[in-house]
Amino acid sequence: MSAPAEPARAASAASVPAVPVVAEPVDPTASAAVVDLLGLVAYGELVAFDRMAADARLAPDLARRAMLSEMAAVEIANYRRLADRLTELGVVPGEAMSPFVPALGSYHDSTEPKDWLEALTKAYVGDGVADDFFREMAALLAEPDRQLVLDVLHDSRYDEFAGQEIRLAIAADPKVANRLSMWARRLVGEGLSQAGRIATERMTLTTLIASGFDDQAGVQVLFKRITAAHTVRMSAVGLNN
Amino acid sequence: MSAPAEPARAASAASVPAVPVVAEPVDPTASAAVVDLLGLVAYGELVAFDRMAADARLAPDLARRAMLSEMAAVEIANYRRLADRLTELGVVPGEAMSPFVPALGSYHDSTEPKDWLEALTKAYVGDGVADDFFREMAALLAEPDRQLVLDVLHDSRYDEFAGQEIRLAIAADPKVANRLSMWARRLVGEGLSQAGRIATERMTLTTLIASGFDDQAGVQVLFKRITAAHTVRMSAVGLNN
């Protein structure tokens, strides 16, 4: 059995060549980007709640169903914090979120899990990549938004649960690894495709990233780092990238 | 516009003739009944979470969708407390819950809301009656289970939200009152039918109620009181019983 998932996260910072990638916290005049980022994360939480709550029905027993339901409920608690912050900034949360409804809807519609293991892999892989991305974004924000975004990253307790379920399933039937690895690749592919859509449509966010990460070269390093962390996370549960 | 829903709750105790209905806290030997009651409430929370999370998709906008999602998330937090208590009592939560899967499943399957107002009415009416019932049951338990069951009753903040939405909808179109009143009657009918099923199948619970409420006469008074509170709650939002 592989190492637990937590070290994979820690490795993400260490295993990729470090370059100076984090610029100054965003200028207050760039608040449109902050609102966009908070809106994106908030809607991500709301829709993840909805999908995980539905996926909980795929659980093989009541205890596991409850566990995924609890993972879903954490998303909605985080949603509330983000929505409150948006309100504090004078923005109606629904308006900050609405630009991201199509992209996140497409992502989830095209990656509807067929069974329990696909649901867990989606939570494990999707949340992992999204968290890494938002952790990088948080570094570009001024307080209190920086800490808020860091706070709403997923609880490693649930990653552990998902990772453990995947490892056990592979131990019981090694063929599962192949199927779930393919599924994870599809998740990442669809996720990247929708991320590209958001990048094209929301220039505020793209500009935030580009200026925060020293333009093209820095952004490439950012993506390499996120990809490397994803690979480590996959191996940690016995999946191939 | 009618009074808010909260006074309806308070009225439930006052508006029906008081009789001596609460017997001694349950004997420790009656712990099978306690486990059954905690299992019933726990599964009620789990399945209510599932259905409300799904119903949130019916919301007309993101703010309302988030609100119902948050209502759902409260259920799962309560579920965790009940499951932990069952574990503490040496009972596997899934085993305590499983006897109630068919009855609660039938209730929800036969009362799937078609739209946002039906979903809210279901939360408002169904949670209201269930809370009143479990509040009465709590009085039959010893501590800490008595307080635990009281703690997991629904937050009146969410009743207020649901009640307000129903009142506004009726104010905008009085015909809505008729439709939702019929829907509420169906909810209560299906609920009673499944409660009867549980009463027949789980003699521990039936015995707890019968002994706690001084047998037949006391049980009838209990049901009258719950019915009266339901009627007050219905009128508070402009619905007819």
Side-chain angles (χ1 to χ4, degrees), chain A residues 1 11 47 63 87 93 115 132 137 209 241:
Chain A
M1 194 162 293
V47 74
T87 305
D115 60 28
D132 282 346
M137 291 300 99
I209 296 171
N241 206 21

Side-chain angles (χ1 to χ4, degrees), chain B residues 41-113:
Chain B
V41 181
Y43 189 65
E45 301 275 4
L46 193 54
V47 73
F49 164 80
D50 173 75
R51 302 303 173 123
M52 285 166 81
D55 293 349
R57 293 192 187 185
L58 300 169
D61 55 50
L62 288 177
R64 288 181 165 86
R65 175 171 153 192
M67 191 73 184
L68 197 60
S69 301
E70 287 184 80
M71 288 171 71
V74 173
E75 312 270 349
I76 206 71
N78 289 335
Y79 162 81
R80 172 46 50 203
R81 295 188 60 185
L82 293 156
D84 286 348
R85 173 63 180 153
L86 283 164
T87 305
E88 199 177 282
L89 291 171
V91 181
V92 177
E95 284 174 17
M97 293 191 289
S98 62
F100 307 105
V101 172
L104 288 175
S106 296
Y107 169 71
H108 285 290
D109 286 347
S110 61
T111 58
E112 199 136 342

Side-chain angles (χ1 to χ4, degrees), chain B residues 111-160:
Chain B
T111 58
E112 199 136 342
K114 281 192 316 292
D115 60 27
W116 175 239
L117 286 171
E118 287 192 4
L120 285 180
T121 304
K122 183 171 170 180
Y124 178 78
V125 170
D127 287 359
V129 173
D131 281 359
D132 282 346
F133 178 73
F134 291 128
R135 192 177 289 110
E136 301 273 0
M137 290 301 97
L140 305 178
L141 302 180
E143 296 296 357
D145 298 307
R146 177 191 294 221
Q147 192 55 48
L148 174 58
V149 172
L150 290 176
D151 284 354
V152 302
L153 300 179
H154 293 83
D155 191 326
S156 60
R157 188 165 45 120
Y158 295 112
D159 286 340
E160 258 316 290

Side-chain angles (χ1 to χ4, degrees), chain B residues 6-17 132 135-136 224-226 228-230 232-233:
Chain B
E6 193 46 35
R9 289 277 163 96
S12 71
S15 57
V16 180
D132 282 346
R135 192 177 289 110
E136 301 273 0
K224 269 190 194 153
R225 195 163 51 215
I226 289 178
H230 166 67
V232 173
R233 203 162 34 236

